[in-house]
Amino acid sequence: MDRLWGFFTSVKLAVFTLIALAVASVFGTLVEQNLPREKYREIYKDWAFELMDRTDLFDMYHSWWFLALLVLFTVNLACCTIDRFPKALNVVRNPRTKLDDDLADTLPLAERWKRKGAAGEWAPRYADALSSLFAKPLVAVEGEEVHMYAEAGMASRFGVYVTHLSIIVIFLGAIVGSVAGFKGFANIPEGESVSQVPVRGGSRMQDLGFTLRCNSFRVETYPSGQPKAYISDLSVIDGGREVLRKRNVVVNDPLRYKGIWFYQASYGEAGGAVARVEVHGAGGSPPEVLSLAAGRPVAIPGYGFVSAVEYRQDYQGAGPALRLIVEKPGVPPSELWLPEGGNPGTSAGGDGKPPISFRGLAPWMFTGLQVARDPGVGIVWVGCGLMILGIVMAFFLSHRRVWLRLSKGADGRLEVVLGGAANRNRLAFEKAFGKIRDGLKGVGA
Amino acid sequence: MSNVLLFNLTTVLFGAASVLYLGALYAKNDRIAVYGSWVCALAAVTSTAALGVRWLESYRMGIGRIPVTNLYESLVFFAWSVNLFYMAVERKYGSRTIGAFVMPIAFLTMLFAVTNDSTIQPLVPALQSYWLHAHVITCFVGYAAFAVSAGVAVMYLLKSRREREGVSGGVVGRLPESRVLDDLVYRAIVWGFPFLTAGIITGAAWANYAWGTYWSWDPKETWSLIVWLVYAVYLHARITRGWHGRRAAILSIVGFGTTLFCYLGVNLLLSGLHSYGGG
Ligand code: HEM
């Protein structure tokens, strides 16, 4: 049992697992992961393919042995931390508050001097000086002797534990995410909707619990022709009505509804064409571009529906034009021909109908969205925060301790012994200790 | 294109500083090294100005963005960080010999940079995020610290060999004591490690915001994890197994090797999502 505990608490094992994880990860970057199997057959010779397939090298990060390595690492980390934490707590809880000769001999910094008088009369003055020079001391009177102990930066001792704990918290978050969340994708043609998405890497479909509609998709380019933005206009339909609309879902700005996130990830042509029309809102609100697939009605916010029914290359000798039907509940549908590129003013239909203009035909596009729900992600961020905090505590704080002893020396004079130690950044503490020493020596001088 | 001129001037200054520091070491003349420090300071001014001008020029082109988004820009930013990190070390430790081992890293980086395409390109959609700033800056400060650590580790190896042989004169004799160098190797890592950690975390946060997964084992991510693991090994070997001196110095150099691979090798040799493409 002790041997086992010794094994799992050894830092040697930690160094080994860290190196093993690093080496394994190198393999994972050299062998491209998760390609179709045929690709691997092309790349590797048969025997190499068999061997790599057998050892899961093609999906290494999800293989049993990589997971086992992570588990070993975590158990090691947990054991190590559990093993040492009580000792660290002990250092803090039961500090050695008395500077006896044993301690004075082991301290890296120590200083002695003499004064005339009794410990009792010097003690308050030294305690005050120590408070203002460093930290308020704990004072213990023992007969003729007075002991003082002051400390600062105790948190330094716990940085390691916060850091190690943070790794476990991050793993916990990752487990919660993979058990209770899902990752999927959705390709939605303009004007169409989905309420289920295929889950990545599996054949399962995941119900969203609501419907997501793609109103339109477009690519904006820089003058040089390079892509500037991929923009999806998405609506969430829940309980039969549109509850959320986000016109600018772009890379780095996802849509979120009921804990499910939709990320702009790809796009493509859905085959066929759509008519792009611009609907001008009431009261000067910005115009909105709609993509109309043949015969499919699209909502005009605040009015009704519009559908494109016919397109002609040359309408009555005046160039290309589009025939639309505009509907509003309770009003007979009206039909109109719009010339391409026409002025919206000319196409206004009266009776509160919004001005519409025809921008031309465009390929029918679909937007490709990553879909994710990850309830563990908050835990992961807490872990990351703890990690930064822990590392800063471990590296940039220092547990500094100062002892002072007043006792009667052999010659009858008062002997003052000052000692100090720091667990980090000893050079800086040496300087600070020098100041404390000079300050204390100056007391009553 | 005035930013490129300023960067070219910076390259010359880094070269000059390297020559001055190395010359001072060989000629055993501290006055020359003082000139090296001045040249470093001048290079800091010109490279900072160059970054600022490049930033402004990108705004004038209507595509304003932070100048750390392609190989050229990341290289000059790396050299800029190394120079500043080195100047801080020089001030704190008061030793100019370190410059002979660190400034050549900045100089070579700039030489490599000027062979790459230096035009200002607009940002592709994937990079249009505020996370870009936090992510790139933290990563590169970390890299710069590791570069300084490795430079000093080389000094340590040279110095400690001489000390063991009991030779105190010569060029190596002018280097700081090996005890000080060993401490400095460690200290630079103590600065680099939190920055690298923050760099990985901001990268994960960004990935989560852009793609919906904070970790996807993309080669760049994986290599940054490898670098992080190597330095974690360094820290543990040092604090709990008492690895000092030679072994620790070698580990620091290995760590910087993995850092370089993570930064350049991954893009030039492996495929992935990151954009500092092969120029
Ligand atoms: C990559 C993951 C790890 C990170 C980032 C990490 C981080 C740290 C840090 C920052 C320190 C403080 C170092 C210093 O004070 O200079 C430390 C110390 C330590 N770590 Fe880790 N650690 C990791 C994994 C592990 C594992 C798996 C073990 C298991 C044995 C372990 C055991 C220790 C021990 C024993 C100490 C020394 C504590 C002391 O001062 O008494 N660490 N770690």
Side-chain angles (χ1 to χ4, degrees):
Chain A
M1 200 56 212
D2 273 359
R3 291 263 304 272
L4 201 64
W5 184 248
F7 174 76
F8 279 117
T9 55
S10 86
V11 179
K12 230 181 198 160
L13 178 67
V15 168
F16 165 79
T17 40
L18 290 176
I19 292 174
L21 281 171
V23 170
S25 301
V26 171
F27 273 106
T29 63
L30 295 180
V31 179
E32 227 179 303
Q33 298 288 297
N34 293 312
L35 295 177
R37 292 178 69 81
E38 310 84 68
K39 262 269 187 316
Y40 289 118
R41 286 206 180 275
E42 281 170 32
I43 303 174
Y44 299 105
K45 293 207 172 67
D46 279 348
W47 65 266
F49 176 86
E50 285 301 324
L51 186 71
M52 293 166 88
D53 193 31
R54 209 67 74 66
T55 49
D56 289 333
L57 268 181
F58 301 136
D59 188 16
M60 196 201 88
Y61 302 112
H62 304 103
S63 67
W64 65 268
W65 58 266
F66 194 74
L67 232 63
L69 213 51
L70 284 178
V71 170
L72 178 65
F73 167 79
T74 313
V75 170
N76 181 209
L77 184 64
C79 290
C80 222
T81 306
I82 292 168
D83 190 45
R84 287 170 194 247
F85 186 67
K87 288 174 205 158
L89 208 56
N90 198 34
V91 169
V92 171
R93 277 246 186 96
N94 307 310
R96 259 180 102 164
T97 54
K98 284 199 191 115
L99 185 63
D100 48 34
D101 286 329
D102 282 353
L103 181 59
D105 287 345
T106 60
L107 287 178
L109 298 167
E111 186 85 16
R112 291 162 194 269
W113 64 88
K114 302 239 166 167
R115 284 283 178 271
K116 283 204 192 84
E121 80 192 58
W122 282 94
R125 298 158 81 179
Y126 277 131
D128 280 351
L130 201 51
S131 293
S132 63
L133 287 164
F134 177 60
K136 196 170 156 48
L138 203 75
V139 182
V141 182
E142 238 176 49
E144 290 279 279
E145 277 184 19
V146 177
H147 291 272
M148 295 185 202
Y149 170 73
E151 63 184 348
M154 210 154 47
S156 155
R157 298 265 176 201
F158 294 100
V160 178
Y161 303 101
V162 174
T163 310
H164 289 169
L165 180 72
S166 76
I167 295 173
I168 294 175
V169 171
I170 289 172
F171 283 172
L172 206 71
I175 292 170
V176 168
S178 71
V179 170
F182 73 90
K183 299 261 151 69
F185 62 93
N187 290 339
I188 318 176
E190 292 176 296
E192 299 199 348
S193 312
V194 296
S195 50
Q196 290 190 321
V197 297
V199 170
R200 200 190 296 162
S203 48
R204 195 166 68 84
M205 294 295 281
Q206 169 76 38
D207 256 318
L208 295 178
F210 53 85
T211 299
L212 183 74
R213 186 177 66 216
C214 171
N215 299 308
S216 70
F217 173 82
R218 66 182 202 280
V219 179
E220 271 181 16
T221 53
Y222 291 106
S224 62
Q226 286 158 297
K228 179 178 184 184
Y230 307 117
I231 305 167
S232 293
D233 177 344
L234 304 177
S235 292
V236 173
I237 295 131
D238 196 0
R241 57 187 194 90
E242 181 175 278
V243 288
L244 176 66
R245 176 157 186 184
K246 186 160 172 162
R247 287 159 211 274
N248 274 302
V249 176
V250 295
V251 184
N252 283 311
D253 193 5
L255 167 83
R256 182 186 157 196
Y257 184 70
K258 286 195 172 164
I260 303 184
W261 295 71
F262 298 90
Y263 302 85
Q264 182 65 54
S266 65
Y267 67 96
E269 293 190 9
V274 289
R276 292 225 194 273
V277 298
E278 209 169 282
V279 179
H280 295 254
S285 62
E288 178 171 356
V289 177
L290 300 180
S291 300
L292 307 181
R296 191 191 299 273
V298 171
I300 301 178
Y303 187 77
F305 291 92
V306 56
S307 37
V309 286
E310 191 185 351
Y311 170 80
R312 282 206 202 144
Q313 281 278 313
D314 193 19
Y315 178 68
Q316 296 178 346
L322 181 73
R323 184 153 64 98
L324 291 178
I325 293 180
V326 182
E327 292 167 284
K328 182 179 181 177
V331 177
S334 61
E335 206 182 279
L336 60 156
W337 277 97
L338 295 181
E340 182 169 325
N343 198 323
T346 61
S347 61
D351 70 27
K353 203 169 0 174
I356 302 177
S357 57
F358 175 38
R359 291 269 150 258
L361 290 188
W364 190 25
M365 305 298 285
F366 70 82
T367 182
L369 304 173
Q370 297 272 17
V371 186
R373 188 181 63 212
D374 189 343
V377 85
I379 303 175
V380 171
W381 297 145
V382 169
C384 290
L386 283 177
M387 180 176 287
I388 296 283
L389 179 73
I391 290 177
V392 169
M393 278 163 68
F395 289 153
F396 299 109
L397 296 182
S398 156
H399 187 203
R400 288 151 290 149
R401 293 177 289 173
V402 169
W403 292 263
L404 188 75
R405 186 182 74 197
L406 307 174
S407 60
K408 197 164 206 138
D411 60 358
R413 289 206 295 168
L414 182 69
E415 189 185 40
V416 184
V417 186
L418 176 72
N423 69 336
R424 273 295 121 81
N425 208 353
R426 304 220 161 89
L427 263 105
F429 184 65
E430 244 169 71
K431 281 191 198 134
F433 185 80
K435 283 215 183 97
I436 295 171
R437 177 199 58 209
D438 296 346
L440 289 177
K441 276 187 167 175
V443 169
Chain B
M1 283 294 99
S2 54
N3 76 81
V4 177
L5 283 180
L6 282 170
F7 280 127
N8 291 345
L9 177 60
T10 306
T11 311
V12 173
L13 291 174
F14 283 167
S18 305
V19 168
L20 287 169
Y21 281 130
L22 283 165
L25 204 53
Y26 275 90
K28 305 193 178 66
N29 183 334
D30 284 336
R31 282 203 60 79
I32 303 178
V34 174
Y35 291 124
S37 299
W38 281 106
V39 174
C40 271
L42 193 61
V45 172
T46 55
S47 55
T48 306
L51 285 169
V53 167
R54 191 174 176 92
W55 206 333
L56 281 179
E57 280 177 13
S58 76
Y59 274 99
R60 220 170 299 134
M61 291 166 68
I63 50 173
R65 82 281 188 300
I66 187 174
V68 286
T69 59
N70 59 26
L71 187 60
Y72 177 78
E73 292 176 348
S74 77
L75 286 167
V76 299
F77 188 70
F78 174 64
W80 178 84
S81 316
V82 169
N83 184 28
L84 286 199
F85 199 91
Y86 165 69
M87 291 193 346
V89 169
E90 186 186 280
R91 261 193 82 85
K92 182 142 172 53
Y93 283 76
S95 164
R96 293 195 162 85
T97 50
I98 299 167
F101 293 83
V102 172
M103 287 314 290
I105 299 177
F107 176 56
L108 291 176
T109 306
M110 286 305 290
L111 275 189
F112 181 39
V114 297
T115 65
N116 279 280
D117 179 14
S118 63
T119 55
I120 299 178
Q121 297 291 337
L123 279 188
V124 297
L127 293 184
Q128 296 164 14
S129 169
Y130 287 110
W131 285 109
L132 172 74
H133 305 68
H135 175 54
V136 175
I137 290 170
T138 45
C139 282
F140 277 92
V141 174
Y143 292 176
F146 296 149
V148 170
S149 174
V152 177
V154 170
M155 294 170 72
Y156 174 88
L157 292 179
L158 293 173
K159 179 78 181 185
S160 69
R161 199 163 86 213
R162 283 307 177 85
E163 281 178 358
R164 249 179 296 131
E165 288 165 359
V167 185
S168 59
V171 170
V172 173
R174 303 186 65 78
L175 304 185
E177 276 176 77
S178 66
R179 194 178 55 84
V180 173
L181 294 173
D182 179 56
D183 183 57
L184 189 50
V185 170
Y186 168 70
R187 254 162 211 291
I189 291 173
V190 158
W191 277 96
F193 194 71
F195 274 100
L196 178 67
T197 308
I200 295 175
I201 291 175
T202 50
W206 184 10
N208 189 55
Y209 207 64
W211 303 313
T213 30
Y214 49 84
W215 195 263
S216 49
W217 295 105
D218 143 85
K220 190 88 171 181
E221 278 174 0
T222 309
W223 270 94
S224 67
L225 179 69
I226 293 166
V227 174
W228 191 71
L229 291 173
V230 171
Y231 286 106
V233 166
Y234 175 95
L235 293 171
H236 287 84
R238 188 177 179 99
I239 189 148
T240 62
R241 306 202 62 77
W243 275 36
H244 285 256
R246 213 176 119 73
R247 287 190 291 184
I250 290 172
L251 201 49
S252 162
I253 294 169
V254 169
F256 186 57
T258 51
T259 306
L260 277 183
F261 190 85
C262 174
Y263 171 27
L264 296 173
V266 171
N267 300 114
L268 303 176
L269 305 172
L270 305 173
S271 63
L273 301 159
H274 279 71
S275 66
Y276 309 142

